[in-house]
């Protein structure tokens, strides 16, 4: 229980720190938000109007008061209004999140389909040709920039073979395939190595030798004994990658014009839509930490040793 | 001389990769002399040419020779990456040594800060920082520095804490060595190999992150011949001039792959535990 409290405290500190950092950034950033709001709204910008807008937006207050107001709004669930879209930031983020979440789910499915069989194959046939092949492929994948891979896939399967749409303005099943494959290839290159290591560790355990001595077939040992034991670390690692997928996929979303949260954020930054940028960074921080927290909890739940230890 | 030959014979893979890395660095340094055309000189008559004998990687929207720009890009990318890796390792190590060796409140504050950075996807923050400050070579390096130092600080701190309680440090202190001397003569030489290994293995990743930021438009700005930026510009001519996105990406891939291989080989060489 005490560990749980510490974790929550740590999460809170991180949130405050990250939000403060982003707020500082947007505060020192070039450009006058009041002018941007007025320009976006097709107003004639006069000095008088600027003053008035600054007053309304609270921009002439001291920095810490502004930060306090923003955090106060957050606690009430108000993340501010996006300058460019004229919509509440929360609404804009929610729209983008649907796309990103769908993309992340499909990607994780692809990652599992690619990496589990390859990782297991590579571990079972360690230091034979399948192992070398998988390792070389995973090395190539790690060194390949994912936006470049995305562009190439888009060129081949989108433009030349016309199998998938080149841009997606809405969340569709045919549109998700290429971005998900791009991300899955990138993630799999790391995950396949981790699967291999975990399975190899398990294969060298004493119980495997015991099972062999009892005359169990290799197949039974692998499926009934090794895999269930390997599941736990594999879930943890996959959980971490979900956090990454929800946060770090802006580049791939841009390549495929996928309507996700990363795409929203990049456009917000280009438009200098600071409330949206701040909201985005905060939202990602929350997602990331909640997922890591859930992974930890699931770990405690799935591992009988830890469960007993807690009781 | 004989020692060197023996070293190469016993560490064949490491020597090979070091050779390849030197070739890349040499290309970066000699870029202005190696490029067949001026990488910045446009010629609208020659815009968007497909690869030919004169321009074997084709030309871009302003008629600039893609091959020359890729060669020049080696310089830009290597400069940015190496500066970034050195800065990250330096800042991280200083923070790590300070918090590990002196401890106390400074340590608590610095490590809380490091944990904060580690508990958050760095790329997101880097995009926000670089984007808000405005895209430029310096801001890109700054943004990635802000989000990357924590790993080194954590690593160095744990190494220093282990060292601090070792006999030879105690002996040095008992003999009346000044703190400065203990740090420079005993602590730093002992943490250096691990920092170098980690830095070497990070070169590839850092290079990709720099290229990614430039690709989004938050890094190097036109007309800089930077590979990520070239991909971004080439993307607009996606259908008509695919060579514009093929070659810069391939350049990133080759260089990142070589540095990754070299980093792994260096680790095997310097770190006896892993080999």
């Amino acid at each position: 229980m005490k560990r749980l409290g510490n974790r929550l405290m740590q999460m809170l500190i991180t949130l405050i720190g990250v939000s403060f950092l982003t707020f500082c950034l947007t505060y020192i950033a070039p450009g006058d938000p009041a002018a941007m709001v007025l320009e976006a709204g097709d107003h004639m910008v006069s000095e008088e109007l600027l003053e008035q807008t600054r007053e309304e937006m609270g921009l002439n207050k001291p920095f810490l008061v502004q930060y306090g107001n923003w955090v106060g709004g957050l606690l009430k669930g108000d993340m501010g209004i996006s300058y460019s879209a004229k919509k509440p930031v929360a609404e804009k983020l929610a729209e983008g999140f649907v796309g990103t979440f769908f993309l992340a789910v499909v990607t994780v499915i692809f990652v599992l389909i690619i990496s589990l069989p390859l990782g297991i194959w590579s571990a079972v046939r360690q230091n034979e040709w399948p192992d070398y092949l998988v390792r070389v492929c995973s090395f190539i994948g790690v060194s390949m920039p994912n936006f470049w891979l995305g562009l190439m896939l888009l060129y081949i399967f989108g433009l030349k073979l016309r199998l998938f749409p080149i841009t997606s303005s809405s969340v569709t099943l045919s549109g998700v395939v290429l971005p998900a494959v791009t991300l899955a290839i990138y993630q799999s290159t790391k995950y396949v190595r981790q699967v291999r290591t975990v399975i190899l560790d398990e294969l060298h355990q004493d119980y495997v030798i015991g099972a062999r001595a009892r005359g169990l077939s290799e197949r039974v040992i692998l499926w009934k004994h090794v895999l269930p034991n390997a599941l736990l670390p594999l879930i943890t690692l996959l959980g971490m990658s979900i956090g990454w997928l929800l946060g770090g996929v802006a580049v791939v979303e841009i390549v495929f014009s996928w309507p996700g949260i990363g795409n929203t954020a990049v456009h917000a930054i280009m438009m200098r839509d600071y409330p949206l940028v701040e909201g985005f960074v905060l939202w990602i921080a929350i997602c990331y930490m909640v997922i890591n927290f859930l992974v930890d909890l699931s770990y405690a739940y799935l591992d009988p040793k830890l469960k007993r230890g807690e009781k | 001389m004989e020692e060197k030959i023996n070293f190469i014979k016993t560490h064949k893979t490491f020597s090979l990769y070091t050779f390849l890395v030197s070739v890349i660095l040499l290309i970066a340094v000699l870029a202005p002399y190696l490029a067949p055309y001026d990488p910045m000189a446009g010629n609208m008559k020659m815009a968007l040419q497909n690869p030919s004998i004169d321009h074997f990687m084709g030309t871009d929207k302003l008629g600039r020779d893609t091959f020359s720009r890729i060669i020049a890009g080696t310089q830009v990318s290597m400069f940015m990456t190496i500066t970034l890796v050195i800065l990250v390792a330096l800042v991280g190590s200083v923070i790590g040594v300070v918090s590990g060796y002196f401890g106390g409140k400074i340590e608590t504050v610095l490590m809380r800060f490091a944990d904060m950075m580690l508990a958050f996807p760095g790329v997101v923050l880097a995009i926000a920082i670089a984007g808000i400050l405005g895209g430029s070579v310096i801001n890109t390096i700054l943004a990635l520095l802000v989000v990357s130092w924590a790993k080194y600080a954590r690593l160095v701190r744990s190494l220093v804490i282990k060292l601090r309680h070792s006999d030879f440090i105690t002996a040095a202190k008992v003999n009346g060595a000044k703190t400065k001397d203990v740090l420079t003569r005993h602590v730093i030489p002992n943490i250096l190999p691990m920092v170098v290994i980690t830095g070497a293995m990070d070169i590839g990743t850092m290079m990709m992150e720099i290229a990614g930021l430039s690709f989004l438009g938050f890094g190097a700005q036109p007309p800089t011949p930077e590979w990520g930026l070239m991909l971004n510009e080439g993307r607009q001519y996606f259908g008509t001039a695919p060579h514009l996105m093929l070659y810069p990406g391939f350049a990133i891939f080759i260089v990142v792959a070589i540095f990754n291989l070299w980093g792994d080989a260096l680790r095997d060489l310097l770190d006896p535990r892993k080999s």
Side-chain angles (χ1 to χ4, degrees):
Chain A
M1 247 355 252
K2 200 179 164 231
R3 236 195 62 205
L4 203 70
N6 274 344
R7 267 303 290 276
L8 288 173
M9 197 60 206
Q10 171 81 46
M11 279 163 71
L12 195 69
I13 292 174
T14 305
L15 275 183
I16 293 171
V18 167
S19 72
F20 189 72
L21 199 68
T22 346
F23 199 84
C24 280
L25 269 176
T26 55
Y27 188 78
I28 59 168
D32 179 357
M36 277 179 274
V37 169
L38 288 176
E39 276 156 20
D42 290 329
H43 289 282
M44 281 292 286
V45 183
S46 66
E47 198 47 47
E48 213 173 308
L49 198 59
L50 270 177
E51 259 324 301
Q52 196 190 331
T53 318
R54 282 195 200 115
E55 184 80 43
E56 276 166 20
M57 293 168 73
L59 289 171
N60 45 10
K61 300 214 175 77
F63 170 71
L64 280 176
V65 176
Q66 285 191 38
Y67 178 67
N69 286 343
W70 183 63
V71 173
L74 284 180
L75 294 176
K76 282 183 256 160
D78 173 18
M79 301 174 101
I81 305 283
S82 153
Y83 300 161
S84 58
K86 299 274 161 211
K87 272 187 200 168
V89 167
E91 199 179 305
K92 199 76 183 124
L93 289 177
E95 282 170 21
F97 187 67
V98 176
T100 299
F101 187 73
F102 184 54
L103 179 58
V105 169
V106 178
T107 303
V108 167
I109 294 171
F110 283 164
V111 168
L112 290 175
I113 294 174
I114 299 172
S115 352
L116 281 183
L118 287 181
I120 294 169
W121 193 36
S122 165
V124 171
R125 308 276 302 266
Q126 190 195 6
N127 294 332
E128 292 172 42
W129 69 266
D131 188 25
Y132 289 122
L133 184 72
V134 170
R135 274 154 73 184
V136 167
C137 288
S138 113
F139 174 76
I140 292 175
V142 162
S143 306
M144 207 185 282
N146 55 7
F147 46 97
W148 184 55
L149 178 66
L151 284 172
M152 291 293 132
L153 291 177
L154 199 58
Y155 182 74
I156 298 168
F157 295 100
L159 196 75
K160 289 288 157 191
L161 300 177
R162 297 187 182 279
L163 290 175
F164 300 102
I166 291 178
T167 59
S168 318
S169 50
S170 62
V171 178
T172 56
L173 205 58
S174 62
V176 83
V177 175
L178 287 182
V181 167
T182 307
L183 287 168
I185 289 177
Y186 186 72
Q187 282 281 293
S188 297
T189 54
K190 288 178 182 153
Y191 198 59
V192 92
R193 288 182 186 186
Q194 293 166 334
V195 172
R196 177 178 176 274
T197 315
V198 169
I199 300 277
L200 274 180
D201 278 355
E202 283 299 322
L203 281 174
H204 289 126
Q205 299 280 329
D206 288 343
Y207 74 85
V208 174
I209 301 174
R212 282 201 188 115
R214 280 186 284 136
L216 294 180
S217 72
E218 286 295 315
R219 180 169 300 185
V220 173
I221 295 174
L222 184 66
W223 291 101
K224 292 266 157 104
H225 298 275
V226 170
L227 280 186
N229 278 313
L231 210 59
L232 196 62
L234 292 182
I235 287 178
T236 316
L237 293 166
L238 196 66
M240 308 284 240
S241 74
I242 294 176
W244 180 82
L245 282 171
L246 291 179
V249 299
V251 182
V252 171
E253 286 183 4
I254 288 287
V255 169
F256 293 95
S257 320
W258 179 253
I261 202 166
N263 206 334
T264 312
V266 169
H267 284 114
I269 293 170
M270 285 172 177
M271 306 282 290
R272 305 208 159 275
D273 187 346
Y274 295 141
L276 193 50
V277 177
E278 286 158 3
F280 166 74
V281 174
L282 197 67
W283 174 240
I284 293 304
I286 293 172
C287 278
Y288 203 72
M289 280 186 297
V290 167
I291 283 167
N292 281 351
F293 187 64
L294 288 180
V295 167
D296 272 14
L297 280 186
S298 76
Y299 207 97
Y301 178 75
L302 286 172
D303 190 342
K305 271 183 263 169
L306 280 177
K307 214 155 60 171
R308 240 175 281 141
E310 269 180 9
K311 281 173 190 169
Chain B
M1 196 59 207
E2 202 170 316
E3 270 175 32
K4 276 181 194 161
I5 293 172
N6 268 333
F7 178 86
I8 292 172
K9 272 185 187 160
T10 42
H11 305 281
K12 283 196 188 95
T13 40
F14 178 72
S15 307
L16 173 68
Y17 298 139
T18 308
F19 170 73
L20 292 175
V21 164
S22 332
V23 170
I24 294 172
L25 292 178
L26 216 62
I27 293 175
V29 173
L30 299 177
Y33 307 101
L34 293 175
Y37 295 88
D38 181 352
M40 311 292 257
N43 177 1
M44 289 312 282
K45 273 186 218 154
M46 296 293 289
L48 295 174
Q49 298 273 315
N50 279 330
S52 62
I53 297 170
D54 283 345
H55 302 275
F56 83 97
M57 289 185 186
T59 59
D60 70 0
K61 59 178 174 180
L62 299 175
R64 295 172 297 195
D65 181 48
T66 309
F67 178 65
S68 303
R69 286 179 70 71
I70 285 179
I71 297 280
T74 318
Q75 196 170 48
V76 179
S77 292
M78 283 321 304
F79 170 74
M80 286 172 83
T81 311
I82 290 175
T83 315
L84 174 63
V85 171
I86 290 175
L87 279 178
V88 169
L90 204 67
V91 171
S93 302
V94 167
I95 294 176
V97 168
V98 167
S99 47
Y101 194 78
F102 299 107
K105 272 192 187 129
I106 305 177
E107 182 188 19
T108 317
V109 172
L110 287 175
M111 285 304 117
R112 274 284 140 132
F113 214 60
D115 286 344
M116 194 186 98
M117 299 309 297
L118 289 173
F120 186 79
V123 179
V124 173
L125 200 59
I127 290 176
I129 296 175
I132 290 170
L133 294 180
S136 76
V137 169
I138 291 174
N139 287 348
T140 307
I141 293 175
L142 196 70
L144 288 169
L145 172 63
V146 169
V147 301
S148 316
W149 61 271
K151 184 174 113 185
Y152 288 80
R154 272 268 169 219
L155 171 78
V156 168
R157 174 180 162 271
S158 69
L159 291 173
V160 170
I161 287 179
K162 236 181 267 166
L163 279 175
R164 197 174 61 181
H165 301 295
S166 62
D167 291 341
F168 73 94
I169 300 270
T170 318
K173 280 189 198 159
V174 170
N175 278 322
K178 289 183 201 132
T179 309
K180 192 192 94 194
D181 291 338
V182 175
L183 285 179
T184 50
R185 293 224 188 119
H186 302 292
V187 175
I188 292 171
N190 273 297
I191 59 167
L192 209 57
M194 273 312 283
V195 174
V196 170
I197 293 171
T198 318
M201 293 180 69
D202 266 355
I203 293 179
T205 320
M206 296 286 187
M207 186 172 271
M208 277 211 264
E209 281 174 7
I210 290 174
L213 281 178
S214 296
F215 177 75
L216 289 175
F218 302 140
Q221 295 299 310
T224 318
E226 205 274 344
W227 295 332
L229 180 65
M230 286 168 74
L231 272 173
N232 180 17
E233 291 172 336
R235 196 163 78 98
Q236 295 153 19
Y237 304 93
F238 182 75
T240 47
H243 59 270
L244 286 180
M245 35 171 244
L246 181 66
Y247 296 115
F250 200 65
I252 302 176
F253 168 60
I254 295 288
V255 173
V256 168
I258 288 174
F259 273 99
N260 281 345
L261 286 169
W262 179 70
D264 284 352
L266 185 71
R267 180 198 56 199
D268 292 344
L269 187 74
L270 290 181
D271 191 357
R273 276 172 302 160
K274 298 238 172 155
S275 58

